[in-house]
């Protein structure tokens, strides 16, 4: 079995941002779920930038993306759709943070 790649500092920072969003389904505290694009083998996962935030119940619980993927995606969207939503939310937060950082610099 292939050894899992250790996350770089930038990848860890990105995954921290993802987790900080809270679960995409219920907004509870979340961990990251590495999406599995179609064609990726069992036991394989995508890169650290292809992650979405899910709480334990929606990640690995009884009705979760790991245990009931088809039903989960029918209710909440595909992994790719959820990844797009995650990246969009992070981008929006970064834009707001940049706006306030720049505004603060202009007021000095």
């Amino acid at each position: 079995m292939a050894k899992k790649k250790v996350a770089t500092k930038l990848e860890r920072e990105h995954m921290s941002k993802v987790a900080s969003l809270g679960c995409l389904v219920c907004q509870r505290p979340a961990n990251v779920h590495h999406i599995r694009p179609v064609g990726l083998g069992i036991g394989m996962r995508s890169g650290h930038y292809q992650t979405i935030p899910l709480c334990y119940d929606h990640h690995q619980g009884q009705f979760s993306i790991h245990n009931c993927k088809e039903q989960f995606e029918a209710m909440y969207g595909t992994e790719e759709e959820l990844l797009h939503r995650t990246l969009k939310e992070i981008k929006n937060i970064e834009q707001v943070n940049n706006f306030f950082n720049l505004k603060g610099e202009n007021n000095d």
Side-chain angles (χ1 to χ4, degrees):
M1 185 160 79
K3 187 176 177 183
K4 290 183 181 179
K5 182 183 168 199
V6 176
T8 66
K9 181 181 177 189
L10 288 176
E11 289 170 330
R12 287 191 309 273
E13 288 174 2
H14 175 76
M15 289 189 290
S16 178
K17 289 177 188 176
V18 169
S20 74
L21 295 173
C23 180
L24 288 177
V25 177
C26 66
Q27 288 72 50
R28 288 188 296 170
N31 293 313
V32 296
H33 164 71
H34 290 77
I35 70 166
R36 268 200 31 219
V38 176
L40 198 60
I42 293 176
M44 303 284 295
R45 68 177 186 191
S46 58
H48 297 300
Y49 288 108
Q50 294 176 305
T51 54
I52 60 175
L54 295 173
C55 68
Y56 175 81
D57 290 336
H58 290 112
H59 187 205
Q60 297 173 312
Q62 186 175 357
F63 180 75
S64 67
I65 201 159
H66 279 288
N67 291 320
C68 304
K69 186 173 181 174
E70 286 183 17
Q71 295 92 338
F72 182 94
E73 287 187 334
M75 288 185 71
Y76 305 116
T78 66
E79 287 183 310
E80 290 78 14
E81 290 167 340
L82 296 172
L83 176 62
H84 178 74
R85 181 174 148 201
T86 299
L87 295 175
K88 186 175 180 180
E89 287 186 30
I90 288 172
K91 182 179 179 183
N92 289 342
I93 290 168
E94 288 175 348
Q95 287 175 336
V96 168
N97 288 341
N98 287 338
F99 172 78
F100 284 108
N101 286 338
L102 291 175
K103 189 171 184 169
E105 290 174 10
N106 292 335
N107 290 332
D108 288 345

